[in-house]
Amino acid sequence: MSLAEADRAAPLLAQPVRRLAGFVVDVGLFVVTLAVGWIVWSVFEARVSRTPGMRITGQRIVDVRTGEVVDGRRMARRQLLGIPLALLLGAVTCGVGWLFSGWLVVSPSRQALWDRVAGTTVVEVL
Amino acid sequence: MNRPPKLRRRLSVTGRLCRGVGWVTLVPLMVFAVGLQLVGAPAAMVGNLVTGERADQRAGTPSARECDEVRSPRQEPTSGHVDPDGTLRVFAIQYTLDFSDVVDYATWRTTVRCLIEELVQPYRRPGQPTMVVFPEDMGLPTIAMGTRGWSARQQARSFARSASEAVPLGLAGALGQLNLAYAPQVAAYQARLGPIDPRKQVFVAATDTFVRAVNITFSEIARDYGVYVVVSNNQAAYRQTSNPAEVAVFADPQAQPTDTAYVATSQRVTNTTFLWGPDVVNRSAPDGNQNLLFANEKVPLTPLEKDLIGLDEGPRSGPAAEANAGGPEIAGFKVGLATSYPAFAYGYPFGERPAGFEPCADTAVSFAACQDAQGVTVQIQADANPGRWATTTLDGNWQPLEWMSSVWRSVADPTVGFAYNVTPMMNGNLLDLVFDGQTSITGRGFSGRPQMFVGNDRLGAADSEDLAVYAGAKQEFLAMTPWSGGSGNDRARLEREATALAPRGVREGEYTQTAVFADLVPKTQRLP
């Protein structure tokens, strides 16, 4: 399948700017709720394949190949393995790894490092 | 079974541009950062294991050859004022800031010990107590020490070292790099003590490095050489730990393997001036503080300290403020520490103390007056003027004339009773930021050869009338260093010389490193 054909076939992958907005909202909620509130909310949102920030900014996590919403195990792999891996990468690379992990979103499949770990991507919810 | 292809969508032109920029910046940076971590820190660790010694644990006196390697090319011999009745000989060190001094703990230790070996030791009088005063911010360059400061040190040698003094992008860039380099410690402290103001977080994160490079290095100098030492640095209070988890996170990689780390106990970062003595006074204190006699927290802070790096002010009122303005008794003098700006803070014009004036009501307004009220006789003004020396300030005043309102006022104003003022000035360009000035020691009632800072022969047309009293040569100067840019009173010419010394000038960074000393005599310590 050519890229042009893939474009037509693919659901609306979330643009990097919207991804960034969702991330900022998640971080903000994490801080404002002293982590606890964000974690509790995340558990509920995980059942419908999204984070609190994604709910507010209209996004959803899907399987990068099928476009289907992912189950709890895949969500856990993304959130509990992928994101800590990015944090660790940042810690051992003087912080550059954090930028690198996020910058990977700027790709045709829109996958940040944690998406690549879990085989997911993010689509816009219309 | 064939796996379905990944969902894909073409990037916009902007997206492709961002991706390209990332490939040429982030990826090499990642490789470089990983290289630093994989090679730099472990290499230092392996080197330490092989040699059996760590760069932060050296002993002995540097050799003449070692001092040759670290000496500033423009170091001049010490000059001073000898008085046979003196009970305390005070040295003011005019250090010239240079990032090559902070490659690692060994180069830093050698540099500061060579300053003592060459500018102090030959001029000491046997049997007489000696005090060595270093400039304000003496510990600042040590934040760029070791592998974590490598990129900042390289920047200081490159074209990117400075943008302009008005918009210090070079400094901002270096601070950004240091925040990245200290990211693991920043993250750990943010989690432990946070939220911490991002402007000062790197100073909290560098606590272990500061303790090794400043507290331990200079407290050892005080003990080894049997002298009193005064040094200033922007840092947090700390404790000592041997908890393996804390050591792994907080100890400087250059010091590994080690079983000790120095951990910030609060996120409060103050411009602290330390005074160490030759003898241990508190065996239970952490390393670097066992011979600490006094520590002053700067108040008031300059706008640069408050707004750019978000430092915390010392106490402004109450018993804590009065204690902060006081100081210990040494060789017949009460020694107080006024770190630059506070030495200007009287709260009233020269000689015009209002009736009922309360000197310690707010030390952010009248620190110097409060210090006098505590009975201080020797005002130590560790100083770093963040700007050109021969220039006009934002207030329109000639800067060296304005400086007289601290170094000379303290011993000439009849409303206070300081006997001496000791002011070592930091010199050198820190990326965009210029540090420049003349080091001096003044004494109340001293009638020596009249001297003045450059360009101070008269009150200029733009100078404030309040400064008239400071113009002209004064007899109270016991010692003064010549200015690196030359001498005389032609302000236009002096300003051109200051430009030449500043970043990208024709004589960039050619500041003089030297010291002055004076014998302080107790009989002049207080006016009736």
Side-chain angles (χ1 to χ4, degrees):
Chain A
M1 189 190 292
S2 71
L3 199 55
E5 288 167 334
D7 270 2
R8 284 190 290 275
L12 195 56
L13 291 175
Q15 292 299 316
V17 174
R18 189 181 284 230
R19 294 284 300 271
L20 182 64
F23 177 75
V24 170
V25 171
D26 271 327
V27 171
L29 288 171
F30 187 88
V31 173
V32 168
T33 64
L34 301 175
V36 178
W38 182 85
I39 290 170
V40 172
W41 192 358
S42 291
V43 170
F44 284 100
E45 293 298 337
R47 294 186 297 186
V48 286
S49 197
R50 64 190 176 196
T51 66
M54 286 176 178
R55 179 191 174 95
I56 291 168
T57 55
Q59 301 175 80
R60 193 186 298 279
I61 298 162
V62 296
D63 185 293
V64 71
R65 293 182 189 280
T66 65
E68 301 291 328
V69 294
V70 294
D71 58 19
R73 184 185 286 184
R74 292 276 289 286
M75 275 296 285
R77 197 196 304 174
R78 182 184 190 272
Q79 301 297 95
L80 302 179
L81 182 64
I83 291 176
L85 189 69
L87 289 173
L88 186 67
L89 186 65
V92 300
T93 57
C94 306
V96 183
W98 299 333
L99 296 175
F100 178 80
S101 305
W103 167 77
L104 288 174
V105 162
V106 189
S107 66
S109 63
R110 311 292 198 273
Q111 287 180 288
L113 181 70
W114 38 90
D115 288 315
R116 287 164 199 266
V117 168
T120 58
T121 188
V122 176
V123 295
E124 293 181 11
V125 181
L126 299 173
Chain B
M1 194 174 83
N2 286 339
R3 297 176 72 193
K6 279 185 178 181
L7 301 176
R8 295 161 71 84
R9 196 169 193 87
R10 247 189 310 208
L11 289 167
S12 63
V13 175
T14 312
R16 275 177 278 177
L17 194 64
C18 288
R19 188 166 175 76
V21 169
W23 275 113
V24 298
T25 56
L26 280 179
V27 174
L29 263 175
M30 273 283 289
V31 172
F32 172 69
V34 169
L36 266 187
Q37 294 294 322
L38 293 183
V39 180
M45 233 179 280
V46 170
N48 294 340
L49 281 168
V50 170
T51 58
E53 64 178 18
R54 297 202 314 265
D56 69 324
Q57 281 190 343
R58 300 290 168 101
T61 304
S63 66
R65 188 182 56 78
E66 286 176 308
C67 289
D68 287 344
E69 288 172 3
V70 299
R71 185 183 307 112
S72 161
R74 283 161 295 281
Q75 181 169 303
E76 298 292 336
T78 300
S79 59
H81 167 76
V82 176
D83 191 319
D85 296 327
T87 60
L88 178 67
R89 181 164 288 189
V90 177
F91 290 80
I93 309 289
Q94 184 171 301
Y95 167 69
T96 53
L97 208 151
D98 187 345
F99 270 141
S100 64
D101 294 339
V102 290
V103 174
D104 56 31
Y105 290 105
T107 53
W108 177 241
R109 181 182 185 280
T110 302
T111 298
V112 292
R113 288 208 167 216
C114 287
L115 289 173
I116 300 287
E117 288 290 329
E118 298 184 338
L119 297 178
V120 175
Q121 285 295 85
Y123 305 93
R124 289 179 69 184
R125 188 155 65 183
Q128 186 184 32
T130 300
M131 179 179 288
V132 183
V133 186
F134 288 91
E136 183 185 18
D137 291 330
M138 188 67 188
L140 184 59
T142 65
I143 200 169
M145 184 179 278
T147 50
R148 293 182 295 189
W150 184 87
S151 57
R153 296 200 305 277
Q154 293 307 307
Q155 184 196 340
R157 297 165 57 179
S158 74
F159 181 78
R161 65 191 177 279
S162 69
S164 80
E165 289 167 68
V167 187
L169 293 179
L171 192 64
L175 274 173
Q177 291 172 57
L178 289 168
N179 269 281
L180 287 178
Y182 282 89
Q185 289 75 36
V186 167
Y189 277 122
Q190 285 285 5
R192 178 178 285 207
L193 306 172
I196 304 174
D197 184 336
R199 293 172 298 175
K200 67 176 181 183
Q201 65 183 9
V202 72
F203 292 95
V204 180
T207 297
D208 185 85
T209 298
F210 283 148
V211 172
R212 294 173 199 274
V214 178
N215 300 72
I216 294 178
T217 300
F218 288 99
S219 67
E220 284 180 354
I221 284 176
R223 292 210 299 257
D224 293 351
Y225 289 94
V227 297
Y228 297 91
V229 174
V230 177
V231 169
S232 131
N233 192 37
N234 304 318
Q235 64 181 77
Y238 67 95
R239 63 181 170 81
Q240 189 171 334
T241 179
S242 53
N243 177 328
E246 289 188 320
V247 171
V249 174
F250 295 114
D252 189 336
Q254 293 287 297
Q256 300 281 9
T258 178
D259 56 3
T260 305
Y262 305 98
V263 183
T265 54
S266 105
Q267 61 159 277
R268 205 164 157 268
V269 178
T270 54
N271 184 338
T272 307
T273 301
F274 302 94
L275 167 53
W276 291 280
D279 303 312
V280 170
V281 293
N282 182 3
R283 289 200 182 280
S284 61
D287 293 346
N289 276 356
Q290 293 176 352
N291 54 331
L292 183 68
L293 299 178
F294 190 74
N296 165 271
E297 294 180 347
K298 182 174 180 178
V299 56
L301 294 170
T302 64
L304 186 143
E305 291 171 315
K306 209 184 286 186
D307 302 332
L308 188 68
I309 51 179
L311 294 187
D312 296 284
E313 227 166 29
R316 292 178 63 155
S317 60
E322 290 176 18
N324 193 45
E329 297 276 349
I330 295 173
F333 300 95
K334 182 152 185 169
V335 178
L337 309 174
T339 309
S340 190
Y341 202 36
F344 293 77
Y346 282 80
Y348 54 90
F350 184 96
E352 297 175 21
R353 179 178 291 208
F357 181 76
E358 292 184 28
C360 297
D362 183 358
T363 53
V365 176
S366 56
F367 182 89
C370 183
Q371 202 164 39
D372 173 68
Q374 304 310 309
V376 167
T377 51
V378 177
Q379 186 184 52
I380 301 290
Q381 186 180 337
D383 219 324
N385 162 42
R388 302 177 189 191
W389 183 236
T391 191
T392 304
T393 67
L394 290 175
D395 297 334
N397 299 319
W398 182 244
Q399 174 134 283
L401 193 60
E402 214 174 65
W403 229 261
M404 292 287 282
S405 65
S406 60
V407 301
W408 181 78
R409 180 179 181 179
S410 62
V411 298
D413 191 322
T415 67
V416 292
F418 299 114
Y420 294 100
N421 172 285
V422 181
T423 303
M425 295 289 272
M426 174 73 84
N427 273 226
N429 298 331
L430 180 72
L431 302 159
D432 316 88
L433 203 57
V434 174
F435 287 109
D436 193 3
Q438 290 177 263
T439 293
S440 65
I441 302 176
T442 51
R444 186 175 294 271
F446 182 67
S447 300
R449 176 176 63 86
Q451 297 182 72
M452 59 186 152
F453 293 141
V454 291
N456 271 7
D457 64 330
R458 67 190 187 286
L459 191 72
D463 289 326
S464 161
E465 281 297 322
D466 292 347
L467 300 180
V469 67
Y470 304 121
K474 306 293 182 188
Q475 292 187 305
E476 285 81 1
F477 283 101
L478 283 86
M480 181 196 294
T481 59
W483 182 49
S484 307
S487 58
N489 290 297
D490 179 349
R491 292 185 179 181
R493 182 183 60 77
L494 293 167
E495 284 189 290
R496 286 195 297 275
E497 293 296 337
T499 303
L501 292 167
R504 306 199 189 286
V506 293
R507 292 181 54 214
E508 180 175 2
E510 293 186 6
Y511 299 96
T512 305
Q513 178 167 284
T514 186
V516 293
F517 73 85
D519 289 326
L520 310 192
V521 183
K523 68 185 176 189
T524 60
Q525 63 181 297
R526 295 293 291 178
L527 283 181

